[in-house]
Amino acid sequence: MESTSDTAIKPLPDFSNRQLWQQDIPAAEQVMMEQLDARYKKILWMNITLQALIFLITSSVVFVVFFEKRIGGLIVFLPFTIWLGIRLITFNKVFTRKKYALREHDLIYQSGLIFKHRQIVPHNRIQHISIQESWLARHYGLASITAFTTGGAITIPGLDKNSALNIEALMLSKINQLNRTETAQNSEENPEESQD
Amino acid sequence: MQESAQQHIDFSQEQRQSVSGVWIEFGSMLKKYIRAFFVLIIYLFLKLEWIYYIYILGGVFLALILLAAVAYLQYQYTVFYIDQSKREFILKKGIFNREKFVLSIDKILQVNLNQSFWQQVFKVYAVEIETAGTSDQELKIPALDLKIAQALKSELIGINPQERLDTEPKVDLRAPIRIAYTKLVLHAFTADYLRSFLLMLGLIISVYSRIHEYAETFLQPVEDWESEAYHFFKTQSIALALLGIFLFSIFVNAVRNIIRYFDLKIRPEATTTWISYGLFSKKNILIQNDRIQTFSIETQLIQKKLGLFLLRISQSSADITADKKAKVKIIGLSENQAEQMFEQTYHEKIPTFSTHLKANFRIAILPFVLFFLLPTIAAAITIFITKSPLVLLIFPSLYLAASFYFIPKFKKSYQLSISNKFLKLRSEMWTSKALYVRVQDIQAVSIQQESWLKRAQLAHINLQTAGGNLRFSYGDERTLRNLADWILYQIESKTNHRK
């Protein structure tokens, strides 16, 4: 809001944060976010179907038990219809909003159409990484990857299994590299400290 | 620490607890079983003829012997040692279910020496070990002599002998921070009374219904006094009763806080801070300063006038919501002492912040609805339902009018300040809060935006640390994105930077 703030917190120019994992042409200024694998749509469809079934059954139970099948009771299906309509209309947009990017120094994941959310985890804060495959995901050759920090985790679903493994390998090498430089620095710093 | 050096306890050998550990074990089991069975025993005493008393007493006696035997075995099987080559602490316990805990010493967050009632009787200490990865209550050695406990502690924290040589000359004998009793008492009376009021209300309601239940099953004519109580509540207006409960809960809360924080002492050392308090159960907490994640100084209007500040710090923990020990709360500090604690924690004074971000007016909507609008409506509805004189409506309206003072004040004070190393989130309404987070402690950054905020170009930023989050809402979207980039730069360039 205050104009002074913008200048004060600009990143320094000599710091590079190139994108590491990218299938498209690299854009210099902006991060090109990657789409999730198109096969992940099928899993999303399955999820919606399952949720719709549960929603429909509960609505029907309410309709039969509480409204005793009266015509006016049909109103209990209104929330279900609205919910289903929104899910169907926004399906593609919700899917395309889910994007990720792996940069030199961090991992980014964004999602949400109504509640937009973009999470960034730097590599040097990651404790460990895990790859999960549900039975459904395995069927489609998909996997999700989770990076854990001590202050929360970030999960990217719907990746091609090979991409997930590649990302994991890249991140691990990055993390190990960071660890090595850190320990090297520590051993360098120690003699200085004892002189103080 | 000097004592431990003289004693030379070899922790690489298997160690047992102090012998009084048997009694501690016995006492804690007894407590557990009494709690579980006393209703049954009392029931048997009431129901059965006195002839059977001998059987009951015999049974209790047998059970006691059995417990003592179990306690002895428990003591025999609880051993611990330190594997120096792997730098691991190993604790074995259990008679039938043998359990073995292996902890990497580097992962140990905190070692607490505690004395509850039984430990005080036998003059021993319970040693509790905490790590970030496990929020396990099991890592506890119930009874150790003070010297052994202290030796073990220094063995587990600040272990490296070279490290100790490095730090020891730096230990300037900082003066302990003492909290004056008058301040403690004043703070105890003004601290979170709203919460204790609600607790008390809940307690009274539950006790009332419990008594009601018992009375109905054991005594026949309850109607009389019950209806009398009902009558009282009806005629003497609920407001008066609530006022009584409110005053009572302030009193109880004060007593509770005084007992809890009695003899509060803070002893700053070079890399650690000792905090000890408690009247009946003495708590000794050792905080490692570099593990502190969030630092918050809080006060409210009355306390501010009296110069009372509350300090809330959180340490890194695997599960910050479940792990109570990761959060430490200290009351009765003066502003000076709170600043002193900041310096002690971060080895620098509270910085002067150059950049301040303000929030959009929308930030005030939720507090207004939650703290002013809803209570007012609720009070008004109660007045109408109970058919109380409508003059009483003046109170809710006055309350609502107060929002014209508090809400703009909140909106004005809510700001995120940024310095080179720190972020500070400030807010002020009835309570005022200043939450400090060090940039290097941030683990993940996320930016959130509801779709209806897009046109207004507003967003929220959430900064996660290992000890809780800092969330700044309804800020300018572009500025927040810049801020996120800047924070990431600070974190990610750290290793490059130190070269």
Side-chain angles (χ1 to χ4, degrees), chain A:
Chain A
M1 290 265 157
E2 283 165 35
S3 56
T4 49
S5 59
D6 282 31
T7 50
I9 55 170
K10 273 241 168 81
L12 301 181
D14 64 329
F15 172 71
S16 84
N17 197 354
R18 279 187 297 117
Q19 201 165 354
L20 284 182
W21 178 257
Q22 192 181 351
Q23 282 155 345
D24 295 320
I25 317 129
E29 292 300 320
Q30 246 183 339
V31 191
M32 287 287 296
M33 300 290 282
E34 293 289 325
Q35 289 287 344
L36 300 182
D37 198 291
R39 283 169 286 175
Y40 184 56
K41 277 188 184 179
K42 291 178 185 166
I43 293 181
L44 286 178
W45 276 122
M46 293 275 194
N47 285 343
I48 290 182
T49 317
L50 201 69
Q51 287 167 11
L53 267 177
I54 293 169
F55 208 155
L56 192 62
I57 290 169
T58 38
S59 303
S60 312
V61 168
V62 172
F63 177 63
V64 173
V65 175
F66 291 99
F67 291 94
E68 293 163 342
K69 299 186 203 167
R70 267 167 289 164
I71 296 294
L74 280 174
I75 199 159
V76 295
F77 290 103
L78 193 65
F80 170 73
T81 325
I82 291 172
W83 173 84
L84 193 64
I86 291 175
R87 289 310 290 262
L88 292 181
I89 292 165
T90 59
F91 181 81
N92 268 318
K93 277 199 164 176
V94 166
F95 176 76
T96 46
R97 268 292 298 177
K98 289 184 197 289
K99 286 175 177 177
Y100 70 97
L102 180 63
R103 294 198 293 178
E104 202 174 341
H105 291 283
D106 44 44
L107 180 67
I108 309 175
Y109 179 62
Q110 74 163 36
S111 66
L113 190 65
I114 296 165
F115 298 95
K116 290 184 174 119
H117 192 253
R118 176 187 272 221
Q119 209 182 358
I120 309 161
V121 172
H123 294 324
N124 60 0
R125 291 292 184 268
I126 290 172
Q127 299 270 324
H128 63 276
I129 305 170
S130 80
I131 287 188
Q132 305 101 28
E133 292 170 87
S134 64
W135 61 271
L136 205 58
R138 201 175 305 134
H139 183 255
Y140 292 115
L142 296 174
S144 38
I145 191 166
T146 306
F148 294 88
T149 73
T150 54
I154 174 173
T155 300
I156 303 172
L159 295 168
D160 175 65
K161 174 117 193 252
N162 283 329
S163 307
L165 289 174
N166 277 334
I167 291 172
E168 189 198 26
L170 268 171
M171 284 173 75
L172 282 177
S173 73
K174 206 72 211 168
I175 292 164
N176 284 336
Q177 193 186 323
L178 284 169
N179 280 346
R180 244 176 286 135
T181 49
E182 209 159 286
T183 44
Q185 276 161 22
N186 283 346
S187 54
E188 274 170 36
E189 275 170 19
N190 271 347
E192 288 167 30
E193 272 180 6
S194 55
Q195 281 169 13
D196 287 1

Side-chain angles (χ1 to χ4, degrees), chain B residues 32-51:
Chain B
K32 212 160 65 187
Y33 285 107
I34 287 178
R35 210 176 274 168
F37 288 116
F38 89 104
V39 180
L40 179 77
I41 290 173
I42 287 175
Y43 177 78
L44 288 178
F45 262 98
L46 289 177
K47 271 279 169 192
L48 297 178
E49 309 245 331
W50 63 272
I51 291 277

Side-chain angles (χ1 to χ4, degrees), chain B residues 140-192:
Chain B
K140 183 176 171 184
I141 308 168
L144 283 184
D145 288 330
L146 180 61
K147 278 180 185 169
I148 299 176
Q150 279 177 341
L152 179 63
K153 184 177 198 163
S154 63
E155 199 76 22
L156 294 178
I157 294 190
I159 334 86
N160 211 326
Q162 293 137 343
E163 227 172 76
R164 203 185 291 170
L165 278 180
D166 277 353
T167 53
E168 223 143 25
K170 286 185 202 160
V171 178
D172 42 356
L173 286 169
R174 289 161 221 239
I177 301 174
R178 270 172 199 286
I179 312 300
Y181 283 113
T182 46
K183 289 217 151 186
L184 186 67
V185 172
L186 279 175
H187 206 143
F189 267 99
T190 52
D192 45 48

Side-chain angles (χ1 to χ4, degrees), chain B residues 127-320:
Chain B
V127 176
E128 287 171 26
I129 297 162
E130 291 171 32
T131 67
T134 52
S135 51
D136 216 329
Q137 296 285 306
E138 295 289 303
L139 292 170
K140 183 176 171 184
I141 308 168
L144 283 184
D145 288 330
L146 180 61
K147 278 180 185 169
I148 299 176
Q150 279 177 341
L152 179 63
K153 184 177 198 163
S154 63
E155 199 76 22
L156 294 178
I157 294 190
I159 334 86
N160 211 326
Q162 293 137 343
E163 227 172 76
R164 203 185 291 170
L165 278 180
D166 277 353
T167 53
E168 223 143 25
K170 286 185 202 160
V171 178
D172 42 356
L173 286 169
R174 289 161 221 239
I177 301 174
R178 270 172 199 286
I179 312 300
Y181 283 113
T182 46
K183 289 217 151 186
L184 186 67
V185 172
L186 279 175
H187 206 143
F189 267 99
T190 52
D192 45 48
Y193 37 75
L194 194 64
R195 204 195 53 170
S196 36
F197 169 60
L198 293 176
L199 274 178
M200 185 64 72
L201 202 62
L203 187 78
I204 284 177
I205 289 169
S206 80
V207 164
Y208 176 77
S209 65
R210 185 72 61 87
I211 289 173
H212 188 124
E213 231 169 70
Y214 271 105
E216 241 177 20
T217 43
F218 289 113
L219 315 163
Q220 277 93 34
V222 256
E223 306 300 321
D224 293 341
W225 66 269
E226 192 193 328
S227 64
E228 222 165 79
Y230 184 70
H231 197 66
F232 169 80
F233 274 105
K234 195 83 194 213
T235 51
Q236 300 293 308
S237 95
I238 297 165
L240 205 65
L242 285 182
L243 185 71
I245 296 174
F246 184 64
L247 290 176
F248 184 60
S249 65
I250 286 184
F251 179 73
V252 170
N253 182 47
V255 171
R256 203 182 57 114
N257 269 327
I258 290 169
I259 289 173
R260 186 171 167 185
Y261 288 105
F262 191 78
D263 198 22
L264 174 62
K265 253 182 259 158
I266 304 166
R267 220 169 69 222
E269 282 167 11
T271 56
T272 52
T273 309
W274 272 89
I275 300 169
S276 70
Y277 53 77
L279 182 62
F280 295 123
S281 64
K282 194 112 189 129
K283 267 213 165 12
N284 280 302
I285 302 172
L286 180 67
I287 293 168
Q288 298 208 277
N289 296 339
D290 56 354
R291 293 231 161 93
I292 289 179
Q293 303 288 314
T294 65
F295 185 99
S296 144
I297 301 174
E298 297 166 22
T299 185
Q300 36 104 313
L301 275 184
I302 299 170
Q303 288 166 356
K304 205 172 179 180
K305 288 272 183 310
L306 298 168
L308 296 167
F309 292 83
L310 180 148
L311 185 66
R312 216 186 279 274
I313 48 189
S314 75
Q315 303 182 83
S316 59
S317 167
D319 191 355
I320 193 71

Side-chain angles (χ1 to χ4, degrees), chain A residues 1-2 5-6 8-12 14-15 17 103 105-106 113-122 124-125 149-152 178 181-182 185-186 189 194, chain B residues 317 355-358 440 442-452 454 464-466 476 478-479 481-483 485-486 488-489 491-493 495-496 498-499:
Chain A
M1 290 265 157
E2 283 165 35
S5 59
D6 282 31
I9 55 170
K10 273 241 168 81
L12 301 181
D14 64 329
F15 172 71
N17 197 354
R103 294 198 293 178
H105 291 283
D106 44 44
L113 190 65
I114 296 165
F115 298 95
K116 290 184 174 119
H117 192 253
R118 176 187 272 221
Q119 209 182 358
I120 309 161
V121 172
N124 60 0
R125 291 292 184 268
T149 73
T150 54
L178 284 169
T181 49
E182 209 159 286
Q185 276 161 22
N186 283 346
E189 275 170 19
S194 55
Chain B
S317 167
T355 310
H356 307 284
L357 307 184
K358 293 269 185 207
Q440 67 175 77
I442 292 169
Q443 300 282 333
V445 178
S446 60
I447 291 200
Q448 292 151 11
Q449 185 184 47
E450 292 90 352
S451 55
W452 56 86
K454 195 168 180 180
Q464 289 165 294
T465 76
D476 178 54
R478 276 216 16 226
T479 317
R481 285 194 195 284
N482 270 346
L483 175 64
D485 283 341
W486 179 79
L488 288 169
Y489 163 71
I491 299 170
E492 292 166 355
S493 65
T495 41
N496 301 328
R498 279 198 301 193
K499 274 178 196 164

